[in-house]
Amino acid sequence: MYCSHCGKKINENKIEKQKNSFTLANAKEDTKINYVCPQCGHLIHEDLSKEEIKSLSRASHAQLQRSSNSIASGMSFTALGIILLVVASIFFILAKKPSNNFQLVTTCAEFFVSMILYVITLVLLSFGVTKLVIGLNKKIVYTKLLKDINNETFVQ
């Protein structure tokens, strides 16, 4: 189910698996259950009107824009991480001193700089890949939703 106000997708099967709403409210099987959106606080229900579907479409377009921003920032963090990985590798190679028969010297400044750059690289790459995957997943979900709305096959 999707919130028609903000476009947030909730999984009602997951919610019902934790605690069944029918048994909590002593309701019958034909009773309609509404959920509260965890993001904006509006009621989420079935059988959306035309105006609510238009609102959902607007919210989906906004979510698509957010996913594009997430993809772009994820790609930039990943690119910065790759650049720093190359620089860290160069400093690591420089830590092998010719005066020491090209053995690794762990007490020189080049080694410490390379280790610091490796840590920064790890943080940037993990953050970038995470944002990239989240953005791509959002883009897939809301593209399918908009396709269903446009084809008038969307059912809440």
Side-chain angles (χ1 to χ4, degrees):
M1 294 182 88
Y2 294 91
C3 175
S4 61
H5 185 259
C6 67
K8 171 93 172 149
K9 180 180 180 181
I10 64 162
N11 189 353
E12 68 271 7
N13 294 330
K14 191 173 167 183
I15 294 171
E16 292 297 325
K17 187 182 277 187
Q18 291 175 354
K19 48 188 173 181
N20 193 342
S21 300
F22 290 108
T23 57
L24 286 175
N26 294 328
K28 298 176 182 154
E29 288 296 323
D30 60 343
T31 305
K32 293 186 179 185
I33 298 202
N34 295 335
Y35 299 99
V36 176
C37 178
Q39 189 168 340
C40 67
H42 284 76
L43 285 178
I44 301 173
H45 57 87
E46 296 177 350
D47 301 328
L48 297 176
S49 67
K50 290 281 187 189
E51 192 58 40
E52 288 173 329
I53 290 177
K54 287 180 184 178
S55 175
L56 178 60
S57 177
R58 287 190 294 269
S60 298
H61 280 94
Q63 289 287 349
L64 273 177
Q65 185 64 38
R66 286 186 197 101
S67 71
S68 296
N69 292 343
S70 179
I71 290 170
S73 64
M75 291 292 284
S76 64
F77 281 119
T78 304
L80 283 173
I82 291 172
I83 291 169
L84 281 183
L85 179 66
V86 170
V87 173
S89 299
I90 291 171
F91 273 100
F92 188 76
I93 291 170
L94 288 174
K96 296 179 180 183
K97 299 290 183 181
S99 62
N100 198 15
N101 290 332
F102 294 100
Q103 296 294 320
L104 182 65
V105 178
T106 60
T107 58
C108 65
E110 291 90 351
F111 179 75
F112 292 120
V113 169
S114 70
M115 290 299 118
I116 291 170
L117 288 177
Y118 279 135
V119 169
I120 294 171
T121 297
L122 181 67
V123 169
L124 284 175
L125 284 177
S126 61
F127 187 68
V129 168
T130 302
K131 284 195 67 94
L132 182 66
V133 167
I134 288 171
L136 287 173
N137 285 339
K138 266 187 166 182
K139 185 175 182 177
I140 290 169
V141 166
Y142 288 103
T143 302
K144 286 180 182 177
L145 175 64
L146 282 173
K147 186 186 280 186
D148 286 343
I149 290 173
N150 287 338
N151 292 336
E152 296 179 0
T153 58
F154 173 71
V155 177
Q156 179 84 322

